[in-house]
Amino acid sequence: MSATGREDHIELIVDMDDFCRRVGLVSSYRELEWLGFETEGFGGTFRARRLPALFAFCADNPDYHIMTYTDQGRVANKYVPDKNIYFLAKGDKNPCLVLNHLIDPARALVTEKMICSALAVVDDVNTGDK
């Protein structure tokens, strides 16, 4: 019996925390500075103009790999050319892993909980004079 695999079969993950843990996203500016990168912000993002430094680093450190922000809410666990934002990761290198937290079925519940919490604070402020 034989089996075949599809290279274009993606594993879609909707939970951002699960995805980041699995792929080992390096988002701490302190860790990035310790690795020798100058940081541009606190999110661990790299603009396309910094790709040569990322490629050189990953060539010297094969435990690391490049991830790509491909579209609104979507991150591919691989290098995708001609995009604007990239990340460094040290974890699962499976190129079929894709994050899209915008399609999480529980997202509406999280948003509703945040809005209810905010409205409760506003209500406390409004009724605080009594």
Side-chain angles (χ1 to χ4, degrees), residues 22-44:
R22 185 164 172 187
V23 300
L25 175 67
V26 181
S27 60
S28 166
Y29 72 95
R30 288 183 177 148
E31 185 174 358
L32 289 168
E33 287 177 347
W34 185 79
L35 293 172
F37 292 103
E38 290 183 26
T39 57
E40 296 177 342
F42 294 103

Side-chain angles (χ1 to χ4, degrees), residues 52-106:
L54 275 175
F55 283 128
F57 179 83
C58 290
D60 292 341
N61 301 278
D63 290 342
Y64 291 86
H65 65 282
I66 298 171
M67 297 189 324
T68 309
Y69 184 84
T70 58
D71 203 356
Q72 185 70 26
R74 188 175 173 100
V75 178
N77 192 34
K78 62 183 178 182
Y79 167 72
V80 178
D82 301 322
K83 297 297 179 182
N84 293 320
I85 299 175
Y86 297 90
F87 303 94
L88 184 65
K90 184 183 182 183
D92 190 338
K93 293 182 181 183
N94 181 351
C96 296
L97 295 177
V98 174
L99 167 70
N100 190 340
H101 67 93
L102 298 179
I103 61 171
D104 184 355

